[in-house]
Amino acid sequence: MNGGDEGDVAAAPPPQLDWKFSQVFGERTAGEEVQEVDIISAIEFDKSGDHLATGDRGGRVVLFERTDTKENGGSRKDLEKTDYPTSRHPEFRYKTEFQSHEPEFDYLKSLEIEEKINKIRWCQTANGALFLLSTNDKTIKFWKVQEKKIKKIASMNIDPSKVVGKSDIASSSVSSSTNSYLANGGYKDKSSTNLINDFKFPSGGIPSLRLPVVTYNETSLVPRCRRVYAHAHDYHINSISTNSDGETFISADDLRINLWNLEISNQSFNIVDVKPANMEDLTEVITCAEFHPTNCSTLAYSSSKGSIRLIDLRQSALCDKHSKLFEEQEAPGSRSFFTEIIASISDIKFGRDGRYILSRDYMTLKLWDINMDSGPVSTFQVHEHLRPRLCDLYENDSIFDKFECCLSGDGQRVATGSYSNLFRVFGCGPGSTEATTLEASKNPMRRQVQTPSRPSRSLSSITRAVRRGGGESPDANGNSFDFTTKLLHLAWHPSENSIACAAANSLYMYYS
Amino acid sequence: MVDEPLYPIAVLIDELKNDDIQLRLNSIRRLSTIARALGEERTRKELIPFLSENNDDDDEVLLAMAEELGVFIPYVGGIEFAHVLLPPLETLCTVEETCVRDKAVESLCRIGSQMRETDLVDSFVPLVKRLAGGEWFTARVSACGLFHIAYPSASETLKAELRSVFGQLCQDDMPMVRRAAATNLGKFAATMEPAHLKTDIMQIFEDLTQDDQDSVRLLAVEGCAALGKLLEPQDCVAHILPVIVNFSQDKSWRVRYMVANQLYELCEAVGPEPTKTDLVPSYVRLLRDNEAEVRIAAAGKVTKFSRILSPELAIQHILPCVKELSSDSSQHVRSALASVIMGMAPVLGKEATIEQLLPIFLSLLKDEFPDVRLNIISKLDQVNQVIGIDLLSQSLLPAIVELAEDRHWRVRLAIIEYIPLLASQLGVGFFDDKLGALCMQWLQDKVYSIRDAAANNLKRLAEEFGPDWAMQHIVPQVLDMIKNPHYLYRMTVLRAISLLAPVMGSEITCSKLLPVVVTASKDRVPNIKFNVAKVLQSLVPIVDQSI
């Protein structure tokens, strides 16, 4: 780490965290084959940390809810204020799941559109209903998940069992039987309408008519797609981000960023367009975009050249000019064939207060202060031992893997994933030297005691390694790295030291 | 079991809870029928409570319900029972879907404005307070839209309370609530006593104008004009003017855009003198804004703004900007300018128009973007009045010809639609010389819409200049085209004939048009024969019985 504020060295760095396994969902049993569609492709906590959503390659969104705070009950405002007892750690349980996206085919462009969920973002909850945005490569959808009471209806005017028998007589007045009436989807026949209008009602009403009596027994969660924001992206959507104003969000593809109003799905405004007039001049694409957490007019986007641009929506309607540019000057002489590839930023995240931006490129995590555009505040090496092997990584395309990164709620730590289902947590507070490597398994600290020969690997992973052409091979230190098991997606709980991360189809949760 | 005549109503009632959403919607839309069938008392005691519980339904059903309840007073027994409608609408005010809430608020306002004063105090005001203190932001958002109904009939202490509740809503944590408050500030202020207006409302307004969310400030700007009209001119100058001048230099282009849209109304509120000193400079700044969107909004108001200024001021301050805008880098700015610039002619007077405006106007006519030219041509009548047709026609003609041959068919379509207007302005002589050939050329356009529009155009020209003229200048040329080897063009001729026939009258139709149609019935293309049949049908009412 090369960062750190010299003035603050006196302040003791926070103690190193001791990570423990909390939960796993969808754990693989030994020898079980991972289905492609089950692989998790997005993870996101909501603002309160009471809910967690995951998306997978099969287009499904799975929701989890926190169980250890439920008994507090009370109103939302109370929940917000409650400090959770420190002895407790967040525990989640499966809440519901729904099919968010289906595979599609774009006939005009002869293009298959995968159903894979690229990003999930939570929106403002209201009346106990959960709202979230999910996106695949082309289409963003706005979902509402709400508890609905299952109703049972009693006391009808017309006994449904007798309807068939009655319909012969009724057909003269209702023009057709109730059955065909149903089939018509509510179409009101002229004759029956007239009949009702012509009918003289007695002033006291008709006592024989009854309203249906509805009884509620249990509730069920009903997900409903409220809006579909489609046909606004020519390229693949890589990120979506909601604004602090609660009414707008952005979606970014390789060359453009569009601004939407949550309530309006048929139009969006293009606010950033980096498409050159001639596509042959294209040197840089947008890789990720995110709104500032509190400042509604600021957003940041990263590029494949390793730069982060901050733009101010107030300045102009089309924000082609950035207000700030963050990029690191490369050290002279260090250039190689891979320099540009590994500089590409795969993910950026704002810290909670909006002062810091965390970025992940292939080899490092960088923390930037938005008030300092000369260089990153700190740089963390994620897997430096892979540097000699970039050539292999290039050949099996692993070098293009898009790892996500996350910050803790207090901004003291950052985390990101690596290969062999490992992820790393770094302390980024002043003077902190914390750097932990964890494995997404039930024993996260296993990798801390690095034994050169590890007989513990399950048979399945070895066979897989063999089948896939030896993705796993020990490096000079005897560490073996399996390039096929990569931990791309992870999320930090907004208020507690708890991390959710995805290893293929399994969701592992850790706490400290 | 119900009697036979009641069967449809019974079905309707049962379907309030049908599984099919379409049937539920249908029942809700006919809620008044159900209410009449049940009678007033049972509607109050059974139907309304039933609906209050029925808030778990789909948004479409809730929306329909919110709408129906707004006009439900007659079915519950008149004004004195209006309050029973409040509970179901109150629950609808808290749902998540914005359009349902808006409709529920609208219905509540409608009911509230008919309610007796005592009922308002007893039931409406507490409802507003409940919503304003709601746990979720949805309820609080809805509350903002109800204050202007609740306030006037409340007692002094209650009024004070309502004012402070509204003040709290303006400082809500949720930007959605603050936006709703900002939107409704003007309406609420209109019901308030002048004394409180100056103190409470102005304080709220100032807070909103300094909100850190742009979206809130935007709505505050929108409120400016409404508030300005409520205040005495001198108060308006003291309180609103500085704010608006400040806003016109806001960092956010969206705020400036709003100012550009609202400035004209504000000028009306503050009166001519402050307009001259403060608002003209602001407006000029907006016309020169570096954001195109702002210039578009400002350019669109040039005429309106000039109209409230004296000609000298307009010439001195506005005209130079107009000149700059006419060569603006953004075509949309030029287009916005072109659509209103004609209106400036009467304001400036003939001399200034010819001297200053005409060059601008001519340069816009030569603009490289067709939209700009079209906008000018569409307002041609206004200029014609000021500078006369001779001066105009020299520069106009090339522009029209160019547009008529534009690559984009939509542009050609647009110009065709203006041709009758042009013809009436330019007169027969000029038209014959220059535009006649064009009109024929369009009949043979590659695009169907153009050919169709061209046929229509001929009809309108015939109406304009009369059958005699048409007989001479249109009919022969059209009929000539029936020999065209391409069947699609022959079809256009048939279309033109069917349109022209009613205008030409029965004699010409019989002697000239009908023979052509009859000949065409022997065309080798079946499609033509079909269309001949169609044309003949339309000709039947025009021609004599004898034929």
Side-chain angles (χ1 to χ4, degrees):
Chain A
M1 270 160 281
N2 56 12
D5 224 324
E6 279 109 75
D8 284 342
V9 175
Q16 176 139 357
L17 293 178
D18 181 26
W19 290 94
K20 294 185 195 69
F21 169 78
S22 163
Q23 283 172 292
V24 58
F25 294 96
E27 192 189 16
R28 240 185 310 158
T29 52
E32 187 190 332
E33 191 70 31
V34 183
Q35 295 295 317
E36 170 83 9
V37 290
D38 291 334
I39 294 176
I40 295 173
S41 57
I43 300 184
E44 188 76 7
F45 279 106
D46 76 344
K47 218 163 72 185
S48 65
D50 291 340
H51 295 93
L52 174 68
T54 64
D56 64 24
R57 294 200 185 180
R60 281 163 299 188
V61 171
V62 185
L63 302 187
F64 299 91
E65 67 182 340
R66 192 165 168 171
T67 53
D68 55 321
T69 55
K70 275 280 164 166
E71 52 266 44
N72 286 357
S75 69
R76 179 184 61 97
K77 278 179 179 163
D78 289 342
L79 278 176
E80 277 173 359
K81 282 173 199 145
T82 318
D83 277 328
Y84 305 115
T86 44
S87 59
R88 282 262 209 47
H89 65 268
E91 269 187 34
F92 286 79
R93 71 165 172 229
Y94 169 86
K95 190 177 169 86
T96 187
E97 70 175 82
F98 54 89
Q99 188 73 38
S100 170
H101 288 73
E102 304 272 0
E104 283 174 83
F105 191 79
D106 182 341
Y107 296 99
L108 291 177
K109 292 183 180 150
S110 278
L111 221 69
E112 250 177 273
I113 303 169
E114 279 183 76
E115 67 271 35
K116 176 185 160 222
I117 304 292
N118 286 346
K119 279 278 156 78
I120 295 175
R121 285 291 178 268
W122 290 87
C123 300
Q124 188 64 50
T125 44
N127 292 8
L130 302 172
F131 291 89
L132 49 85
L133 287 168
S134 62
T135 186
N136 66 355
D137 284 340
K138 294 286 177 186
T139 309
I140 307 154
K141 293 186 179 178
F142 185 51
W143 288 91
K144 167 175 159 186
V145 182
Q146 189 181 29
E147 270 194 2
K148 285 229 168 177
K149 295 176 214 148
I150 298 175
K151 49 186 187 229
K152 254 179 98 172
I153 297 142
S155 174
M156 303 285 270
N157 287 303
I158 296 148
D159 192 341
S161 60
K162 292 183 188 163
V163 161
V164 185
K166 267 189 85 78
S167 63
D168 296 337
I169 324 158
S171 57
S172 56
S173 57
V174 192
S175 83
S176 59
S177 75
T178 317
N179 288 343
S180 72
Y181 188 75
L182 278 168
N184 282 343
Y187 170 70
K188 215 41 177 145
D189 202 282
K190 268 274 151 42
S191 63
S192 81
T193 312
N194 290 342
L195 182 103
I196 293 172
N197 288 342
D198 296 342
F199 196 78
K200 291 277 179 292
F201 294 110
S203 59
I206 301 153
S208 63
L209 288 173
R210 283 171 301 170
L211 286 168
V213 176
V214 183
T215 51
Y216 297 103
N217 299 334
E218 45 194 312
T219 60
S220 77
L221 280 168
V222 182
R224 277 196 81 185
C225 181
R226 296 301 307 154
R227 275 177 200 91
V228 178
Y229 314 88
H231 312 301
H233 286 278
D234 287 336
Y235 304 90
H236 287 183
I237 298 174
N238 54 44
S239 42
I240 46 178
S241 173
T242 52
N243 192 336
S244 58
D245 67 8
E247 73 172 348
T248 54
F249 71 94
I250 49 165
S251 57
D253 67 21
D254 294 342
L255 297 178
R256 296 193 182 99
I257 302 178
N258 291 337
L259 179 70
W260 301 82
N261 187 312
L262 276 169
E263 310 223 320
I264 302 165
S265 56
N266 58 4
Q267 61 173 342
S268 69
F269 297 94
N270 178 235
I271 50 173
V272 175
D273 187 349
V274 300
K275 188 179 178 181
N278 182 358
M279 277 302 264
E280 278 162 23
D281 299 336
L282 184 69
T283 56
E284 190 173 17
V285 296
I286 298 168
T287 54
C288 185
E290 196 180 44
F291 262 121
H292 191 280
T294 53
N295 188 345
C296 61
S297 61
T298 305
L299 73 88
Y301 70 89
S302 61
S303 81
S304 57
K305 275 192 164 173
S307 55
I308 301 169
R309 288 180 175 83
L310 213 57
I311 58 173
D312 185 352
L313 295 176
R314 297 175 181 194
Q315 252 168 14
S316 67
L318 188 62
C319 301
D320 284 342
K321 287 197 203 96
H322 52 263
S323 59
K324 266 182 184 165
L325 173 69
F326 305 94
E327 58 187 353
E328 194 167 32
Q329 299 304 319
E330 57 183 286
S334 66
R335 245 189 112 72
S336 72
F337 174 72
F338 302 110
T339 310
E340 268 196 28
I341 301 173
I342 62 170
S344 175
I345 294 178
S346 52
D347 191 25
I348 53 169
K349 291 269 162 65
F350 270 102
R352 201 179 206 188
D353 60 358
R355 172 149 178 210
Y356 295 98
I357 299 173
L358 181 68
S359 72
R360 168 72 204 256
D361 55 41
Y362 192 64
M363 297 301 285
T364 66
L365 265 182
K366 292 192 176 95
L367 191 68
W368 308 79
D369 184 335
I370 63 166
N371 301 320
M372 185 176 109
D373 47 12
S374 55
V377 183
S378 341
T379 304
F380 309 97
Q381 311 294 347
V382 180
H383 36 217
E384 199 54 21
H385 50 269
L386 291 182
R387 200 174 281 278
R389 305 192 48 198
L390 284 175
C391 212
D392 298 342
L393 290 162
Y394 179 74
E395 263 163 28
N396 63 15
D397 275 356
S398 296
I399 203 164
F400 300 107
D401 286 336
K402 296 202 172 303
F403 290 98
E404 287 180 3
C405 59
C406 57
L407 287 110
S408 64
D410 58 9
Q412 292 294 316
R413 290 179 183 83
V414 296
T416 193
S418 177
Y419 293 99
S420 304
N421 280 345
L422 296 183
F423 65 99
R424 305 205 65 193
V425 180
F426 301 98
C428 60
S432 172
T433 54
E434 186 178 339
T436 319
T437 306
L438 298 115
E439 183 184 10
S441 70
K442 283 189 172 170
N443 180 11
M445 302 306 265
R446 191 166 57 151
R447 289 299 176 118
Q448 291 302 87
V449 257
Q450 280 170 344
T451 45
S453 59
R454 288 174 303 104
S456 60
R457 290 211 71 88
S458 71
L459 193 66
S460 70
S461 64
I462 294 168
T463 52
R464 196 176 59 249
V466 170
R467 199 184 60 247
R468 297 197 181 166
E472 182 173 0
S473 51
D475 69 1
N477 300 330
N479 288 331
S480 68
F481 261 88
D482 179 356
F483 297 135
T484 59
T485 53
K486 45 202 167 198
L487 198 151
L488 299 176
H489 310 283
L490 77 177
W492 201 304
H493 190 278
S495 55
E496 294 186 46
N497 284 326
S498 169
I499 292 179
C501 57
N505 62 338
S506 317
L507 176 69
Y508 285 92
M509 316 259 299
Y510 301 94
Y511 73 97
S512 168
Chain B
M1 237 345 117
V2 284
D3 304 330
E4 271 331 306
L6 291 179
Y7 190 78
I9 295 171
V11 170
L12 207 57
I13 293 179
D14 286 351
E15 280 173 359
L16 278 173
K17 282 293 167 197
N18 198 292
D19 283 337
D20 184 340
I21 178 173
Q22 281 306 325
L23 294 180
R24 290 203 303 275
L25 254 181
N26 182 51
S27 283
I28 289 284
R29 293 238 169 83
R30 306 185 47 85
L31 213 52
S32 54
T33 309
I34 296 176
R36 281 195 296 151
L38 290 172
E40 289 168 1
E41 191 176 341
R42 288 188 65 201
T43 299
R44 287 197 300 273
K45 290 199 175 135
E46 293 176 36
L47 182 62
I48 299 296
F50 169 80
L51 293 175
S52 302
E53 283 169 25
N54 184 21
N55 59 356
D56 201 26
D57 214 324
D58 287 318
D59 296 322
E60 291 83 351
V61 178
L62 296 181
L63 180 67
M65 190 160 110
E67 190 166 6
E68 291 299 324
L69 287 176
V71 292
F72 225 59
I73 291 182
Y75 308 111
V76 293
I79 301 296
E80 55 187 308
F81 293 108
H83 60 90
V84 302
L85 294 172
L86 300 186
L89 284 169
E90 183 176 346
T91 45
L92 289 177
C93 275
T94 62
V95 302
E96 309 83 53
E97 192 59 35
T98 317
C99 59
V100 177
R101 288 203 308 269
D102 289 349
K103 189 54 86 180
V105 168
E106 192 187 314
S107 290
L108 272 177
C109 288
R110 185 180 288 187
I111 291 170
S113 58
Q114 298 173 53
M115 276 168 82
R116 294 182 305 192
E117 211 154 89
T118 49
D119 289 342
L120 273 173
V121 175
D122 290 342
S123 49
F124 200 89
V125 175
L127 175 145
V128 174
K129 285 200 289 191
R130 271 198 305 277
L131 286 174
E135 188 191 335
W136 297 97
F137 74 89
T138 48
R140 305 202 293 276
V141 165
S142 297
C144 293
L146 296 170
F147 278 80
H148 67 285
I149 300 291
Y151 191 79
S153 54
S155 65
E156 273 315 306
T157 46
L158 213 47
K159 279 185 175 175
E161 197 185 339
L162 284 175
R163 284 196 302 273
S164 91
V165 171
F166 193 84
Q168 281 160 21
L169 289 173
C170 290
Q171 291 168 6
D172 200 278
D173 288 344
M174 290 286 178
M176 298 82 158
V177 180
R178 299 204 300 276
R179 277 198 292 273
T183 313
N184 287 293
L185 185 66
K187 259 193 251 166
F188 184 35
T191 63
M192 208 174 278
E193 301 81 357
H196 298 303
L197 198 60
K198 254 194 254 180
T199 51
D200 294 19
I201 289 292
M202 287 320 292
Q203 186 53 49
I204 291 174
F205 175 68
E206 254 158 59
D207 290 345
L208 287 174
T209 58
Q210 280 155 28
D211 201 283
D212 55 355
Q213 284 288 346
D214 282 355
S215 49
V216 178
R217 284 190 298 135
L218 282 177
L219 293 165
V221 183
E222 270 197 302
C224 269
L227 274 182
K229 281 175 186 157
L230 296 173
L231 292 168
E232 299 284 312
Q234 67 267 25
D235 289 329
C236 188
V237 171
H239 297 292
I240 308 274
L241 201 61
V243 177
I244 201 82
V245 170
N246 231 337
F247 270 149
S248 73
Q249 301 170 55
D250 197 279
K251 267 208 300 204
S252 168
W253 71 268
R254 282 168 69 196
V255 172
R256 297 198 304 274
Y257 173 87
M258 278 289 188
V259 175
N261 269 330
Q262 298 280 318
L263 203 61
Y264 164 70
E265 277 163 53
L266 217 81
C267 291
E268 284 185 328
V270 295
E273 206 44 47
T275 299
K276 213 183 291 179
T277 53
D278 293 307
L279 292 181
V280 169
S282 296
Y283 184 65
V284 168
R285 246 197 318 272
L286 291 173
L287 284 173
R288 294 189 167 134
D289 201 281
N290 54 18
E291 172 56 47
E293 298 285 338
V294 179
R295 292 198 304 275
I296 292 171
K301 304 273 177 184
V302 156
T303 298
K304 269 184 156 186
F305 204 87
S306 305
R307 222 171 268 159
I308 51 170
L309 295 175
S310 62
E312 302 86 68
L313 271 178
I315 292 169
Q316 191 188 341
H317 296 289
I318 308 293
L319 208 55
C321 298
V322 171
K323 237 176 241 169
E324 287 169 31
L325 289 176
S326 69
S327 53
D328 197 282
S329 57
S330 159
Q331 51 162 317
H332 303 290
V333 175
R334 298 198 303 273
S335 170
L337 182 71
S339 65
V340 297
I341 193 174
M342 300 304 180
M344 278 188 84
V347 179
L348 298 180
K350 185 157 185 172
E351 198 178 320
T353 301
I354 292 180
E355 211 167 285
Q356 314 248 19
L357 209 54
L358 194 62
I360 297 175
F361 164 67
L362 293 180
S363 82
L364 288 174
L365 253 188
K366 292 189 194 101
D367 200 281
E368 56 183 315
F369 283 93
D371 271 2
V372 180
R373 282 173 276 160
L374 278 174
N375 278 345
I376 291 275
I377 290 171
S378 66
K379 298 283 167 58
L380 199 76
D381 43 339
Q382 290 176 14
V383 193
N384 197 10
Q385 289 156 14
V386 182
I387 56 172
I389 201 68
D390 295 340
L391 208 51
L392 203 58
S393 52
Q394 300 158 14
S395 46
L396 195 62
L397 199 65
I400 294 173
V401 173
E402 209 174 301
L403 284 171
E405 286 159 0
D406 198 280
R407 216 158 39 82
H408 300 284
W409 66 268
R410 282 172 205 280
V411 175
R412 297 200 297 273
L413 187 63
I415 189 77
I416 291 177
E417 274 157 15
Y418 290 126
I419 286 291
L421 171 76
L422 281 172
S424 68
Q425 294 288 320
L426 299 170
V428 177
F430 182 83
F431 185 85
D432 285 348
D433 284 356
K434 319 280 182 188
L435 297 180
L438 274 179
C439 292
M440 292 302 142
Q441 186 187 320
W442 280 321
L443 279 178
Q444 302 183 49
D445 200 277
K446 287 196 293 290
V447 178
Y448 169 75
S449 294
I450 300 291
R451 295 196 301 271
D452 191 50
N456 228 330
N457 174 44
L458 292 181
K459 177 192 128 197
R460 287 167 66 189
L461 284 175
E463 283 168 353
E464 181 73 41
F465 294 144
D468 293 343
W469 176 85
M471 198 48 233
Q472 209 175 354
H473 291 95
I474 296 183
V475 177
Q477 286 93 323
V478 172
L479 296 184
D480 209 34
M481 277 168 60
I482 199 73
K483 299 186 196 99
N484 195 300
H486 200 300
Y487 83 99
L488 284 175
Y489 296 130
R490 294 201 297 277
M491 228 143 83
T492 314
V493 174
L494 289 175
R495 169 96 180 123
I497 288 175
S498 75
L499 287 168
L500 280 171
V503 185
M504 304 304 288
S506 82
E507 196 189 323
I508 298 178
T509 307
C510 293
S511 62
K512 297 277 179 188
L513 303 183
L514 201 57
V516 177
V517 178
V518 174
T519 324
S521 70
K522 300 193 179 64
D523 202 282
R524 62 194 157 79
V525 179
N527 232 338
I528 297 283
K529 288 188 240 177
F530 273 134
N531 279 284
V532 165
K534 276 197 214 161
V535 172
L536 283 176
Q537 189 193 5
S538 73
L539 292 184
V540 168
I542 301 161
V543 298
D544 281 340
Q545 294 284 316
S546 53
I547 309 167

